[in-house]
Amino acid sequence: MGRLTMRNPATGEIIGTLDEATPAEVQQVMAQARDASREWGETPVSTRIHYLRNLRHYLVENGEMLAQKISEVTGKVTLEAYMTEIFITADTIRFYEKQAERMLAPRKVATTLVLFPKRSWIHYQPMGVVAVISPWNYPFQLSVVPVLSALAAGNAVILKPSEVTPSIGLLIEELFQAVPAPKHLVQVLHGGREVGQALVAARPDKIFFTGSVATGKKIMTQAAEHLIPVELELGGKDPMIVLEDAHLERAANGAVWGAFTNAGQVCMSVERVYVHERVYPQFLQLVKEKTAALRQGFPAESELGSMTSPEQIRIVREHVQEALAKGAVAEWGGHFPENSMFLAPTILTGVTHDMKIMREETFGPVLPIMRVASEEEAIRLANDTPYGLNASVWSMDKARAKRVAQKLQSGNVCINDVVVSYANPHLPFGGVKESGIGRYRGPEGLQSFTHAVSIIHDPGKRKREINWYPYTGEQHALFVSLTKTLFGKNKKQGNLWSPRNWKGFWREWKRLY
């Protein structure tokens, strides 16, 4: 059994240690979750939502205390911890309180005329046990929101938080103890890669993973052996396109916040900026001025906190050093002290698409800016990436901005804003290409934690159906007539949807059946 060290990355203070789960414990937790899922899956949605409402009340009442603890674990400033971890979670719960019963209710759908008198509907059935494997950059919210989504849909949940921020797992355990759920409904497994592999091997009914592309591919490969459904929320290299008619002051503010919030450790960070050459000098000057005004420290009265993961610092340093060696220019920052978790915000120009800083996820406080000659060039470069999570377009021309947005290969696009698409719980969230598979949040996201069961009902009064045995020549002629009536048009006879043609078909159908 391994041990995880809990520390404050901003101060270096060691908070404590935590034992990793053993393979036997993983199997035991899965068995307990299966038992819990049966009763919870039969619980009315209204009862599930009542439980989520109690969780929201606890979050609101204890939000500042929770944000402080999250800040100590991640190194992010307290306001960011509160806004992105507590507020977003509470807002998501409120959305489910208002919408979940409607989104999970059996839904009638149309039945084609030829199947009369059958009726059709869709029933949303819980999957069973959902495994949530969460990341370290927003370790509370990106754990709790998918857990709550799975709960609302009627599933039991096993959560494996990131080993980089293990004390958040303890904090989440405390949350579900403070607002008691049915026994074993939500369980937390602490540990690293081996625990995650053991959890997948225990064969949950769905895996929801948020993290790197490399780890997501490994999970998907392992899950494929048992055809376990997998939802992957992975990385991004999100482009920002600033056209010549953009509101430059707003765009500069958006670029600085979008690149440096949470020290750039955001899957939807602004990681590439393409600026029309006509406004490039002015935009660059505004960005430099706004970056110079930022305060870095911990935990309050600052805009930038520390990095959370020491390993991520190595990646950021490698990307910046390679770009500078290939001719990029550090307009601001660019030099990172050794043995420090605080990285100064960095602005790079002279960047090209043969640099890692423009092709691989940096996940740090770095803003590369590239001059483009046209809208078409900006779109081409924005799409020149294996990722497709989020993007933004900046223009005061509504029609133009919409046109550009619809040409971007991205799961989410903001116009004259950044990152905010995730903040609307009514919108589905997810990526394309290597940024992920599936959607969560919004109606699609909640229903993705269920099996959509199609049900079709016949009154059962007739002896047989038109397509049943025995097959006859008359039956064949009837289907030919039906096909022509439904789908064809004969110029000599006119429209085959005419009442005269339908009367002939139904007369023949009644004669046979």
Side-chain angles (χ1 to χ4, degrees), residues 76-89:
K76 66 182 67 179
V77 298
T78 310
L79 176 58
E80 283 189 343
Y82 192 92
M83 286 191 303
T84 59
E85 306 270 18
I86 305 303
F87 180 87
I88 292 292
T89 304

Side-chain angles (χ1 to χ4, degrees), residues 144-166:
V144 174
V145 168
V147 167
L148 297 179
S149 302
L151 289 178
N155 304 284
V157 184
I158 301 173
L159 167 67
K160 193 208 84 67
S162 171
E163 66 275 20
V164 177
T165 52

Side-chain angles (χ1 to χ4, degrees), residues 42-312:
E42 296 177 356
T43 301
V45 177
S46 58
T47 302
R48 303 176 207 158
I49 297 307
H50 180 74
Y51 174 68
L52 265 60
R53 182 180 297 112
N54 291 338
L55 282 171
R56 175 173 59 83
H57 293 161
Y58 180 86
L59 285 178
V60 172
E61 292 167 5
N62 298 276
E64 291 180 273
M65 175 271 292
L66 293 170
Q68 181 63 41
K69 290 185 176 181
I70 294 167
S71 180
E72 292 170 358
V73 172
T74 60
K76 66 182 67 179
V77 298
T78 310
L79 176 58
E80 283 189 343
Y82 192 92
M83 286 191 303
T84 59
E85 306 270 18
I86 305 303
F87 180 87
I88 292 292
T89 304
D91 187 43
T92 302
I93 296 175
R94 191 73 178 115
F95 170 72
Y96 286 150
E97 289 176 43
K98 293 181 178 180
Q99 305 292 339
E101 284 193 79
R102 177 185 60 81
M103 294 188 296
L104 295 174
R107 179 164 59 91
K108 290 183 178 180
V109 296
T111 306
T112 60
L113 185 60
V114 293
L115 293 177
F116 179 84
K118 306 179 197 301
R119 295 291 181 264
S120 306
W121 71 92
I122 299 172
H123 168 68
Y124 295 101
Q125 183 181 80
M127 304 182 87
V129 178
V130 174
V132 174
I133 303 175
S134 59
W136 50 260
N137 60 326
Y138 291 98
F140 184 85
Q141 182 244 121
L142 291 180
S143 296
V144 174
V145 168
V147 167
L148 297 179
S149 302
L151 289 178
N155 304 284
V157 184
I158 301 173
L159 167 67
K160 193 208 84 67
S162 171
E163 66 275 20
V164 177
T165 52
S167 55
I168 293 297
L170 292 177
L171 189 65
I172 293 171
E173 282 185 309
E174 293 172 5
L175 168 66
F176 286 101
Q177 290 166 1
V179 187
K183 192 174 183 180
H184 300 141
L185 185 62
V186 179
Q187 299 176 86
V188 180
L189 289 172
H190 303 282
R193 181 178 60 185
E194 292 78 11
V195 176
Q197 290 173 339
L199 177 55
V200 176
R203 300 176 67 172
D205 298 296
K206 176 172 180 171
I207 300 167
F208 186 96
F209 171 76
T210 306
S212 71
V213 173
T215 303
K217 288 180 178 179
K218 291 176 182 177
I219 288 174
M220 192 170 185
T221 299
Q222 186 182 356
E225 294 181 11
H226 304 293
L227 296 180
I228 300 171
V230 176
E231 190 162 338
L232 303 175
E233 300 294 336
L234 307 178
K237 193 68 182 176
D238 297 350
M240 174 178 179
I241 296 176
V242 182
L243 299 172
E244 70 273 21
D245 61 347
H247 187 309
L248 292 186
E249 182 84 15
R250 178 176 175 83
N253 279 320
V256 170
W257 182 81
F260 302 142
T261 184
N262 197 34
Q265 301 167 116
V266 188
C267 57
M268 295 183 291
S269 283
V270 174
E271 291 219 1
R272 300 176 288 151
V273 185
Y274 303 101
V275 187
H276 194 281
E277 60 187 7
R278 198 178 303 169
V279 295
Y280 175 86
Q282 185 182 354
F283 176 82
L284 177 59
Q285 183 59 35
L286 285 168
V287 168
K288 290 167 64 174
E289 291 172 359
K290 295 176 187 304
T291 302
L294 296 176
R295 301 166 297 173
Q296 189 165 29
F298 176 83
E301 297 182 359
S302 301
E303 282 80 39
L304 273 74
S306 76
M307 296 287 284
T308 301
S309 166
E311 171 62 19
Q312 198 60 41

Side-chain angles (χ1 to χ4, degrees), residues 428-472:
F429 180 81
V432 300
K433 297 193 279 189
E434 291 195 3
S435 285
I437 296 173
R439 295 292 183 269
Y440 83 118
R441 300 176 70 78
E444 299 93 332
L446 183 58
Q447 291 162 0
S448 74
F449 288 96
T450 69
H451 294 299
V453 181
S454 301
I455 300 175
I456 188 164
H457 177 217
D458 187 276
K461 297 178 180 180
R462 292 174 297 177
K463 291 187 295 184
R464 58 169 294 200
E465 290 292 322
I466 191 174
N467 54 298
W468 291 0
Y469 298 138
Y471 292 158
T472 66

